[in-house]
Amino acid sequence: MKPAPTETAELLHRVRQQLILSQVRIMELEDERDELAPRLAAVEKLLAAAQTLADQKTDEAGHLENVRADLQAQYEHLRHMQHVTNEAFTATRQQLAIAEQAVAAGRLVHDGLLIQIGHANQQLVAGQIKCDGLRLQLSTTNDQLTALDQQLRTNWTEAAAKQQRLEQLDSEQRAMNSSRSWRWTAWLRALERQFRGR
């Protein structure tokens, strides 16, 4: 049984309405795609730049950590050398005291003891000069370690801030894409674009 002409016309009218609504929806989706594409590209570019900077700062932090470890090893070595020098200094003083006691005990070996005392004094002065030099090196190493530690902390802070900014941008992008108001007001933006076109 064939449908009545009025039913056919009504069906055709409904189909046309559905087609028109589908075309409008497709146009709206295409407009949304065109609007979001540059913003997504900019966000991706910013994310890539931030990731590159974070990797660079991480490499710099690793290098600074290696330098700090080397300086720490040098610092320990200088402390050991200072200890050895102090022991030699103490031993020299003990030898000097023994020599002075020997001079006081007898004048028979006076000339020989004077030579030993002079040699001991030279060793004492050399040891003192060496000790002063080691103390200066130790102070310089401590200053370098302090500066490197501060720089390392700064690099870690910058890397953490970049990582936090990346997470914030990613969260904003997800919130924008999943915003209910953004999807619900799409037809308003489409109407506005149509009025502008007219």
Side-chain angles (χ1 to χ4, degrees):
M1 181 177 179
K2 295 183 179 180
T6 56
E7 293 179 356
T8 303
E10 184 178 353
L11 288 173
L12 289 174
H13 180 67
R14 290 180 181 177
V15 169
R16 287 193 186 99
Q17 286 182 343
Q18 292 296 326
L19 287 174
I20 291 171
L21 291 175
S22 298
Q23 289 177 352
V24 170
R25 182 56 181 164
I26 289 172
M27 292 174 63
E28 290 177 353
L29 292 175
E30 289 177 350
D31 291 340
E32 290 180 2
R33 180 197 62 192
D34 295 338
E35 289 179 359
L36 290 177
R39 297 172 66 181
L40 289 176
V43 171
E44 289 176 355
K45 185 177 180 181
L46 181 60
L47 288 174
Q51 185 63 41
T52 302
L53 182 60
D55 294 340
Q56 181 182 358
K57 292 299 181 182
T58 301
D59 294 339
E60 291 179 359
H63 175 68
L64 290 175
E65 186 64 28
N66 293 333
V67 173
R68 182 178 179 277
D70 293 340
L71 289 176
Q72 185 68 34
Q74 294 179 10
Y75 171 74
E76 296 297 334
H77 176 70
L78 289 175
R79 288 188 61 184
H80 175 70
M81 292 298 297
Q82 183 183 16
H83 177 69
V84 172
T85 303
N86 287 333
E87 288 183 348
F89 185 68
T90 302
T92 302
R93 282 186 171 178
Q94 291 176 354
Q95 291 178 2
L96 181 60
I98 293 173
E100 289 176 349
Q101 289 176 0
V103 170
R107 295 290 179 180
L108 296 177
V109 291
H110 180 266
D111 294 336
L113 290 176
L114 286 178
I115 294 174
Q116 291 181 3
I117 291 173
H119 182 65
N121 282 329
Q122 290 178 356
Q123 290 180 348
L124 181 62
V125 171
Q128 185 66 41
I129 293 173
K130 187 175 181 181
C131 182
D132 292 337
L134 288 174
R135 286 175 180 169
L136 180 60
Q137 291 179 3
L138 184 61
S139 176
T140 303
T141 302
N142 282 331
D143 293 339
Q144 291 176 353
L145 283 174
T146 302
L148 286 173
D149 186 66
Q150 183 64 33
Q151 186 176 359
L152 181 61
R153 292 175 183 273
T154 301
N155 287 336
W156 276 115
T157 302
E158 291 178 359
K162 295 295 180 182
Q163 185 65 32
Q164 184 178 3
R165 179 58 178 164
L166 285 174
E167 294 174 358
Q168 180 182 359
L169 288 174
D170 190 45
S171 176
E172 289 177 359
Q173 181 182 3
R174 290 195 301 269
M176 181 184 67
N177 291 336
S178 62
S179 173
R180 184 179 300 172
S181 62
W182 181 262
R183 296 194 304 270
W184 285 1
T185 57
W187 64 276
L188 289 176
R189 292 191 298 276
L191 288 176
E192 182 183 1
R193 287 192 295 271
Q194 289 180 0
F195 285 127
R196 289 179 182 175
R198 292 180 183 176

